[in-house]
Structures are given as C-alpha cells and as structure tokens.
Amino acid sequence: MSKILVTGGTGYIGSHTVVELHNAGYTPVIIDNLSNSSLKILDQIEKIIGVKPEFHQFDLCEETLVTNFVKNNPDITGIIHFAASKAVGESVEKPLKYYRNNFFSLINILQAYNDKKINFVFSSSCTVYGEPDQLPVTESAPVKKATSPYGNTKQIAEEILEESANAYGNYNVIALRYFNPVGAHESALIGELPLGVPQNLLPFITQTAIGKREKLTVFGGDYDTPDGSCIRDYIHVVDLAKAHVAAIKLLEKGNPNGNYDVFNVGTGNGYSVLEAITAFENESGRKLNYTIGPRRGGDIIKVWGDVTKSTQQLGWTAQLGIDQMMSSAWAWEKYLQEQPIA
Ligand code: WQD
C-alpha cells in the first residue's frame, strides 16, 4: 500500500482526506504541529478506519526536521500538502505569520524532495480568482490580485509549484482550488474544529443553533444578488477529500496535461448565505437566531465554480448536496457538545 504523506493531516480537510486515502487502499502518514488541531483527532480517525495513522509532530518550518524525516521515510510516493495558516481575517492582522508559515513549510518540503520523483497535491483555493468577471469561474480565469495575505500565499504557492515543476522535472503537481468546504464525516466523529470564535459561516451557524453563540450576523444584505446576501459554492468536505485521492491516482497514472495542473473542486452550484441558513433550518429543525449586519471587508460578492475539467479529467464529481452538508455539520456540532474534543 503506497505511503502518502499528509501534512496538516489532523486538520479539518486533512483528517477527512486521511480517512478517504485509507478507504482507497493507501497508507497515510501525517505530519502536523497541532497549532490548529488536536491530537485527539487521531483517536477519532482510528474509530472510523480501525487503525491509528502514523503520526509525526513537528513544525515544517524547521528545515532540518523536514530533511531528516524525508531521509528516514524513503518509501513515501506522494504528498498532500494541507499544512498552512488559513484564516483570512487573521492574515490581514498578521501577514508575516502567514508568509513565514505558508512559504517556509512549502519550500522546506520541496527542497527535501528535490532529488527524487514525487507526486504533490496542493491545497489551493478559489480565493485566487478574487471577484470573477464571469461565472461559473473556470480554471483558465485570470488570477486576480489577492484581497488578503492568505489569498496571496495561495497564489504565490501555486507559482512556486509551477515554476519548480517546470524547472526540475521531478515534481508532478496538481493544485486543487477549493471552493467553500463545509460539513462533516457521516460518523460525526470528525469535522470542522474551530479553535475560538469561528471565522467561517457553517461553524458559526451550528454553534448558534446549539446555543454556544447568541446569534449569527449575516455580513451584508444589500449586495447585488437575488436576496442581497453573498453567494458561495459550498462543497461537502468528504467530496473534497475524495478529490485529493483522485488527484493522487491521476498523478500515479501520469497526468496527460503535464507536471503542473490545476482543478476547481466545488459543486458548480451557488448558494446565498440566507439560502444556506434556510437549508440548515430545514435539516436541523432549528430556527436560527440571526440578524443582517454590515458587510465584512474583503468579501467576494458571488463565486461558484465550473467543475467540468474536474469531472472530465480528474474523474471526480461532488456527490453530496447542501442538505447532507447541513445535516452532517449539525450532527458533528451535537457530537462535540457531548464529547468536547478541542
Ligand atoms: C462565507 C459567507 C460571509 C460568517 C474563506 C476563504 C476560503 C476558505 C474558507 C479556508 C461569506 C458569510 C460568514 C458569518 C456571514 N479558507 N458569513 N456571517 O470567506 O467565503 O472563504 O474561508 O479554508 O479560501 O476565502 O468563507 O465561511 O468565512 O464566509 O455572513 O459569521 O458567509 O460574509 O459571504 P469565505 P466564510
């Protein structure tokens, strides 16, 4: 069973991808510094797949630790790189933390693998498109000036990967541009674990519904959209995890598009914030306490993906709908109330 390194593998998307890699017959190996996750996630993953994944705790910004790991683990054939700081708002307040963490970790891994063939899947984001000129947005849409240091680190990381793949020839790279990951594993044993006040919509919805937050503020109700609230392409985290397995398989088979490629990973459907709230209320049976407040700086008004390339060339299509996204997110929140993990 080929070994796949999953950096950030105890995180939200990382942990779901570890499960799907195991289900697909791979052996996932996790590196995580636990700066934004909990060691208990390993026990939760074990409850799902029956084995505790191999785990190494260290900071990928420490070059010698990375090179020693690679030297001592020669049988890793592929890498899925999630480890990065990812809060848009925090990146505006602390840009140096984001540039240091997101670039040092990426460059250390690439340098450590510079003398061998390696398949590399990168966690990118639709944020690279900014406010698209055309919707649905395709992979050939222009990358626009990032609206946050977080988004800028994703854009520059894609450039680092493309230029390295073209220059050295040993890196086979796929960048997956995620839309908005939401939901949780059907077991409700893993899910999004925001430490502190949630930045993203879904955890704020579920924490409000369960009574941890007093109310949700909808950031803006006067946008140029049918109901005035922003539109996003929400994608179930399990579908997203499966896209990473499909990317590893395509790299192992040989990607006819070459040694650097990009895929949109979304559903192709846009839902407004208010529509997402309604979908949650229908699935949970809970009336959500929310108000319409001022706009949040930096928000894109509407973005959803054209996922034709992923369907035709990656051999992957999202299977789960907004109802399963909401019901699984709610089941996870209720689980956390009984068994706090953080
Ligand atoms: C979604 C919508 C908000 C909270 C960012 C990054 C993306 C990815 C996910 C890391 C927006 C509205 C939110 C709230 C609200 N990053 N909202 N009240 O900003 O689309 O994407 O996070 O994984 O790369 O760009 O996600 O969930 O923060 O916001 O009204 O309390 O919900 O205004 O319209 P976003 P989000």
Side-chain angles (χ1 to χ4, degrees), residues 12 16 182-192 202 206 235-238 279-280 283-284 320-336:
Y12 175 37
H16 286 83
V182 295
H185 189 263
E186 61 185 1
S187 64
L189 291 168
I190 52 175
E192 191 167 5
L202 246 296
T206 56
I235 174 169
H236 197 295
V237 66
V238 171
F280 176 80
E283 284 305 310
S284 64
L320 301 168
I322 194 84
D323 50 348
Q324 290 140 306
M325 295 177 210
M326 297 303 171
S327 55
S328 62
W330 181 228
W332 165 244
E333 189 65 60
K334 288 188 288 187
Y335 175 86
L336 279 178

Side-chain angles (χ1 to χ4, degrees), residues 86 88 125 127 150 180 199-201 204 216-219 230 232 234 273 296 299:
K86 61 139 201 147
V88 174
S125 167
T127 199
Y150 160 78
N180 284 56
Q199 297 293 309
N200 295 127
L201 179 65
F204 215 109
L216 169 79
T217 301
V218 174
F219 296 143
C230 293
R232 295 289 184 275
Y234 296 100
V273 177
R296 178 174 70 176
D299 266 339

Side-chain angles (χ1 to χ4, degrees), residues 104-177:
F104 280 28
S105 52
L106 174 65
I107 290 166
N108 283 344
I109 297 168
L110 290 175
Q111 280 181 318
Y113 278 97
N114 196 217
D115 59 352
K116 58 184 80 172
K117 274 253 177 250
I118 192 77
N119 295 325
F120 194 102
V121 178
F122 176 63
S123 165
S124 191
S125 167
C126 66
T127 199
V128 303
Y129 298 119
E131 191 80 55
D133 299 326
Q134 278 186 304
L135 288 169
V137 63
T138 68
E139 289 86 350
S140 52
V143 169
K144 289 192 174 175
K145 176 146 180 51
T147 55
S148 71
Y150 160 78
N152 205 24
T153 66
K154 290 300 182 186
Q155 289 180 1
I156 297 170
E158 285 192 3
E159 290 170 6
I160 292 170
L161 286 161
E162 182 170 20
E163 288 157 14
S164 300
N166 294 336
Y168 299 106
N170 64 306
Y171 306 111
N172 291 311
V173 180
I174 283 177
L176 297 180
R177 290 176 178 168

Side-chain angles (χ1 to χ4, degrees), residues 229-274:
S229 65
C230 293
I231 297 173
R232 295 289 184 275
D233 182 336
Y234 296 100
I235 174 169
H236 197 295
V237 66
V238 171
D239 276 329
L240 180 56
K242 289 178 177 175
H244 292 79
V245 177
I248 286 287
K249 286 183 173 173
L250 178 58
L251 290 170
E252 287 176 339
K253 195 174 69 174
N255 183 357
N257 294 346
N259 58 8
Y260 179 79
D261 206 359
V262 176
F263 291 96
N264 281 344
V265 184
T267 64
N269 305 311
Y271 284 90
S272 74
V273 177
L274 292 174

Side-chain angles (χ1 to χ4, degrees), residues 283-300:
E283 284 305 310
S284 64
R286 294 280 177 103
K287 190 92 189 73
L288 197 72
N289 181 20
Y290 70 90
T291 58
I292 309 276
R295 296 179 174 190
R296 178 174 70 176
D299 266 339
I300 305 296

